[in-house]
Amino acid sequence: MEYFELLLASLEYQFWLELVLAFLCFFFIIWYVKHKNDVVIWWPVVGAIPSLLRNAHRVHDWTVEVSNTIGTTIVERGTIFARLNLLYTCDPNIVEYMVKTNFANYPKGPEYIDMFEVLGHGIFTVDFEPWHAQRRLANVTFASKDFRSYIGKVSKEVVQDSLLPFLEHVAKQSTTTVDLEDVFLRFAFDSIFTVVFGKNPNYLAIDLPNNVLAKAIDDATEAVFYRHILPRPWWKLCNWLMVGKERKLAEAIRVINEHLGKYVSAKRKDLIEGVGGGEGGGNNIDLLEIYMTSHELQKNDLLPKDDEFLKDTGLNFIFAGRDSTGTSLAWFFWLIATNPSVESKILEELKLLFSKNMKENHHSTNTSTRERRPWVFNSEDLKGLVYLHAALCESLRLYPPLPLNRKGVHKEDVLPDGTVVKPGMKVLISMYAMGRMEWLWGKDCLEYKPERWIGEDGKLSHEPKSKFYTFNAGPRNCVGKEMAFTQLKLVAANVIFNFHVEMVEGHIVCPKPSAVLHMKNGLMVRVKEREIIL
């Protein structure tokens, strides 16, 4: 009898369990059908995480849709599984308040260092006094006339000795296609590595060699992106189990530390033995040598003196200079390839500059440039080119190299729109969405239109800069902004003047889900030598 009572009780329990599960399934199906066309589906238990994961492959364009349909500033309280307290924004007024007006209250935060562990305790991850100390040292370095001259010299040499010869080689093989994004990333890697360490790794050689350090940096960048979109407990668990992207990240960190550690040790040995001055001697002093011999570094107790700090510093600048410059160039050349009228206007500006240079040097301009190819412009030549600068700014507006920025909250505060933020909250800023808001840029916000950066007087307009945060702003603005524009202009001018770039028919270009705005399928093009008759 007892057996049958237990059996009945068990069946009754099973019945109610199945009934509850059926009800929950029915409830979630109704919920999904009702909201399936929503940009974000706010699930009762797991919040917006399913929507985020569903759109992870197109997360940057998804932020635009979210901003247009829900709002430019959103607070998400998270789920019962992950204590996520997130504020998302693409409103430049709020961004300006955070990065300038009340800068001290919005640090990177301890979780930022955790997420970007690959960067160690370099200038881009630390906060408060350690950051102020590193920033002062970086400001002194980048303000140095000799160092700025070295940057221009290195950039021109890599353009002249590596980039243009490579494109010339490709152009001579008319059927050859090349991934131009990969080419520009190689150029940027050689340039920034030489600026930082004083040695050119020759990653942009004719045979496109492999480079384990560059590959490790790519793997680390991809893994860091997934740490941005996954709840912290999830990626922490993957890290503990050493699976997926976390396993790849751990290997990337090992490779990076091993290689950069050797370069730092070799540089210190050179200085002890009296070998310095970078490649070629003279004023060719790289960033690492400047840091090692800096009086500011020696006297400031907040700045570490060990090789670990120098390795982290070198890596921080490589991360900032390589991917941002390489991807920015790729998006720029895609835009001008699909907007030939813009390319024509840049070319006219360059032809005028070329004619001016030829007259000043007492050369005839009555012949084709084919007789003097490739012509190489200096960085100083390009500073006054208004349309080229505007075209680059417009490209950076639509395709910012760092599409997402992350901050923390130090103390409770009220934002300009009345939103209350509290300590522990994560702030996610979408630069990508900010550049695509109609209320901010007008109905033509999705168009590539360099003219929006030029005033009626023909000079660069200051108005767009108030809503342009690609290089950040305030105390933490990009210390390498001028270096970036020097390299972008050198490459853009010299490639456009000497070559014509054509997209491979049918090639699809779209953003890759990454912490840096890479192209998902690269930029497959054909390159032709350009003949200009003046």
Side-chain angles (χ1 to χ4, degrees):
M1 190 70 179
E2 236 176 83
Y3 170 77
F4 287 108
E5 287 177 354
L6 287 171
L7 180 61
L8 287 172
S10 175
L11 290 172
E12 184 178 2
Y13 172 78
Q14 184 176 346
F15 168 76
W16 283 110
L17 179 62
E18 290 177 353
L19 185 64
V20 169
L21 289 173
F23 173 77
L24 287 174
C25 289
F26 176 76
F27 174 76
F28 279 115
I29 289 171
I30 294 299
W31 182 276
Y32 177 75
V33 170
K34 183 179 179 181
H35 298 280
K36 67 178 181 179
N37 294 322
D38 293 352
V39 174
V40 181
I41 300 178
W42 304 97
W43 293 91
V45 178
V46 293
I49 287 180
S51 293
L52 176 59
L53 295 178
R54 186 181 67 182
N55 290 282
H57 68 288
R58 54 182 294 276
V59 66
H60 303 304
D61 287 313
W62 184 61
T63 63
V64 179
E65 295 170 8
V66 169
S67 301
N68 281 325
T69 56
I70 299 177
T72 55
T73 302
I74 306 164
V75 175
E76 160 64 2
R77 298 298 177 188
T79 75
I80 63 173
F81 300 113
R83 294 186 178 277
L84 176 68
N85 200 4
L86 174 72
L87 182 138
Y88 161 85
T89 187
C90 67
D91 186 335
N93 297 317
I94 289 178
V95 174
E96 181 174 18
Y97 179 80
M98 291 179 174
V99 303
K100 294 173 73 174
T101 310
N102 198 7
F103 166 75
N105 196 49
Y106 298 93
K108 296 284 188 178
E111 286 192 11
Y112 191 92
I113 294 179
D114 209 12
M115 294 179 73
F116 282 89
E117 66 174 303
V118 62
L119 295 179
H121 289 79
I123 190 171
F124 298 113
T125 57
V126 294
D127 283 312
F128 306 116
E129 286 307 313
W131 172 77
H132 281 289
Q134 291 198 41
R135 178 69 185 210
R136 280 193 295 271
L137 181 55
N139 283 341
V140 170
T141 302
F142 279 85
S144 163
K145 184 178 179 180
D146 285 343
F147 186 63
R148 292 202 307 269
S149 175
Y150 180 57
I151 291 171
K153 176 179 179 293
V154 166
S155 300
K156 183 185 176 184
E157 285 178 351
V158 180
V159 167
Q160 182 175 275
D161 300 338
S162 298
L163 179 60
L164 296 182
F166 176 82
L167 294 178
E168 204 167 22
H169 170 75
V170 173
K172 288 176 181 176
Q173 304 174 50
S174 57
T175 59
T176 300
T177 61
V178 65
D179 180 357
L180 202 56
E181 183 186 34
D182 177 55
V183 172
F184 288 145
L185 285 169
R186 289 169 181 269
F187 159 81
F189 184 78
D190 282 353
S191 299
I192 190 62
F193 201 92
T194 307
V195 166
V196 174
F197 290 101
K199 297 181 183 296
N200 188 335
N202 293 313
Y203 191 32
L204 181 55
I206 295 295
D207 59 343
L208 298 179
N210 292 323
N211 185 295
V212 292
L213 178 59
K215 175 64 167 58
I217 291 174
D218 284 338
D219 290 343
T221 303
E222 184 179 2
V224 165
F225 167 75
Y226 281 96
R227 284 187 172 187
H228 272 75
I229 66 171
L230 292 175
R232 181 181 174 82
W234 291 18
W235 65 258
K236 277 286 188 181
L237 176 62
C238 292
N239 180 269
W240 183 70
L241 295 172
M242 276 290 106
V243 295
K245 303 293 183 186
E246 291 298 317
R247 181 175 182 178
K248 185 180 286 189
L249 176 60
E251 175 60 20
I253 291 173
R254 185 194 66 77
V255 171
I256 291 169
N257 288 340
E258 179 183 326
H259 279 73
L260 295 190
K262 290 179 181 177
Y263 279 105
V264 172
S265 298
K267 174 64 69 174
R268 195 175 289 284
K269 181 181 177 183
D270 286 345
L271 290 178
I272 292 172
E273 295 175 353
V275 180
E279 292 184 337
N283 292 325
N284 301 328
I285 302 178
D286 55 78
L287 183 140
L288 191 63
E289 184 169 333
I290 291 173
Y291 271 47
M292 283 184 173
T293 57
S294 168
H295 294 298
E296 176 73 22
L297 179 64
Q298 301 305 319
K299 71 182 182 181
N300 196 319
D301 293 335
L302 291 170
L303 291 170
K305 313 297 187 292
D306 57 8
D307 286 2
E308 186 73 14
F309 167 71
L310 294 168
K311 175 187 67 64
D312 288 347
T313 296
L315 179 59
N316 274 241
F317 283 109
I318 289 173
F319 250 93
R322 182 247 186 179
D323 286 74
S324 58
T325 299
T327 55
S328 295
L329 285 168
W331 287 110
F332 171 75
F333 273 88
W334 175 68
L335 284 167
I336 64 169
T338 52
N339 292 272
S341 63
V342 174
E343 182 185 36
S344 297
K345 291 177 182 178
I346 295 173
L347 193 56
E348 286 304 310
E349 198 173 43
L350 293 172
K351 286 163 69 175
L352 289 173
L353 176 62
F354 176 79
S355 297
K356 177 185 174 184
N357 286 347
M358 295 301 288
K359 288 176 182 177
E360 288 177 354
N361 292 308
H362 307 291
H363 292 301
S364 170
T365 59
N366 295 325
T367 55
S368 164
T369 57
R370 180 178 293 278
E371 296 176 18
R372 355 179 142 79
R373 83 165 21 320
W375 177 265
V376 182
F377 294 102
N378 296 311
S379 56
E380 290 297 317
D381 295 336
L382 307 172
K383 286 185 176 180
L385 300 188
V386 172
Y387 198 83
L388 175 61
H389 189 92
L392 287 167
C393 288
E394 181 71 345
S395 175
L396 292 166
R397 174 184 73 87
L398 288 168
Y399 297 99
L402 297 176
L404 294 171
N405 194 4
R406 186 185 176 107
K407 287 187 170 293
V409 178
H410 185 51
K411 296 179 181 178
E412 184 171 334
D413 192 17
V414 180
L415 299 176
D417 67 346
T419 301
V420 177
V421 294
K422 296 184 178 182
M425 181 177 281
K426 288 84 175 173
V427 177
L428 197 63
I429 300 169
S430 175
M431 304 298 183
Y432 186 88
M434 189 187 296
R436 294 161 182 269
M437 293 292 100
E438 184 177 315
W439 65 272
L440 191 59
W441 297 95
K443 292 186 180 295
D444 59 355
C445 63
L446 299 182
E447 294 180 26
Y448 180 55
K449 188 178 176 183
E451 288 75 13
R452 77 175 81 243
W453 295 84
I454 303 173
E456 293 181 1
D457 58 358
K459 297 179 180 179
L460 290 169
S461 171
H462 293 286
E463 192 273 332
K465 294 180 182 178
S466 64
K467 48 194 178 184
F468 182 64
Y469 287 91
T470 295
F471 292 97
N472 213 330
R476 208 150 191 162
N477 67 320
C478 178
V479 71
K481 178 180 177 180
E482 293 307 315
M483 181 179 79
F485 269 112
T486 294
Q487 293 183 328
L488 293 176
K489 289 179 181 180
L490 269 172
V491 173
N494 286 301
V495 173
I496 290 172
F497 193 75
N498 291 290
F499 301 97
H500 176 60
V501 174
E502 293 180 353
M503 292 288 302
V504 171
E505 187 177 351
H507 179 65
I508 298 174
V509 173
C510 60
K512 179 181 179 180
S514 175
V516 180
L517 200 65
H518 288 279
M519 292 176 166
K520 186 177 181 180
N521 306 306
L523 183 63
M524 300 306 299
V525 302
R526 290 187 176 86
V527 180
K528 297 181 179 179
E529 285 187 312
R530 191 191 296 279
E531 182 177 3
I532 300 175
I533 299 179
L534 302 169

